[in-house]
Amino acid sequence: MRLTTAALAQFQQAVEAPVRANTGAWRWTVRQKMAGVRDLLGTESAAHDNAWLAARQSSVLAERRALLIRLGEMGPRVLEDESLEDVRTELRRLVREVDRHLQRLHDLVWDDVGMEIGGSE
């Protein structure tokens, strides 16, 4: 979980960093941190054997695919889009959505563990 938090926190810090005279440096740093989030999403696992969690697992996987697509679409925009504030707004939204996605994934894991050890229903 620390790696998850670190990758997303580094991405958010890069997005929120002040843009000085050299916007190219900001763009390149943000683009590099996006790669860390993409790698994080690409390696996450939500495989559960519990049929009770199957629908939620399917939803989490679909959400992950959508986030990976958005990250891929944002890559060129970060480097090329003239409207830096529009890009920044979209990146802030993406940070929030990845954070919510990771929380849903952790909730799914928590519920799966709770079912295995006989947690409350």
Side-chain angles (χ1 to χ4, degrees):
M1 184 147 150
R2 284 186 186 150
L3 292 175
T4 301
T5 305
L8 190 57
Q10 290 172 1
F11 178 49
Q12 184 174 18
Q13 287 173 349
V15 169
E16 297 299 336
V19 180
R20 297 196 172 45
N22 185 1
T23 62
W26 179 87
R27 290 173 186 270
W28 185 247
T29 300
V30 169
R31 184 67 178 90
Q32 288 177 317
K33 299 306 178 185
M34 285 176 71
V37 173
R38 184 191 65 237
D39 291 346
L40 169 70
L41 291 173
T43 59
E44 75 182 27
S45 175
H48 303 286
D49 295 331
N50 194 322
W52 180 74
L53 299 173
R56 286 177 51 206
Q57 176 183 353
S58 181
S59 175
V60 165
L61 291 175
E63 183 177 69
R64 179 182 79 177
R65 281 189 298 273
L67 288 169
L68 286 168
I69 289 168
R70 287 197 41 222
L71 276 166
E73 293 170 349
M74 286 302 297
R77 285 190 61 200
V78 167
L79 296 176
E80 301 166 359
D81 200 313
E82 289 185 28
S83 176
L84 201 56
E85 272 313 305
D86 289 348
V87 169
R88 206 174 212 176
T89 298
E90 186 64 28
L91 290 172
R92 287 175 178 142
R93 185 177 299 124
L94 188 58
V95 167
R96 288 189 306 269
E97 290 175 10
V98 169
D99 187 46
R100 281 193 299 268
H101 167 74
L102 294 173
Q103 183 59 52
R104 281 193 271 285
L105 181 64
H106 293 142
D107 291 347
L108 186 62
V109 170
W110 179 260
D111 289 346
D112 188 39
V113 169
M115 300 266 319
E116 285 181 20
I117 61 173
S120 64
E121 297 170 338

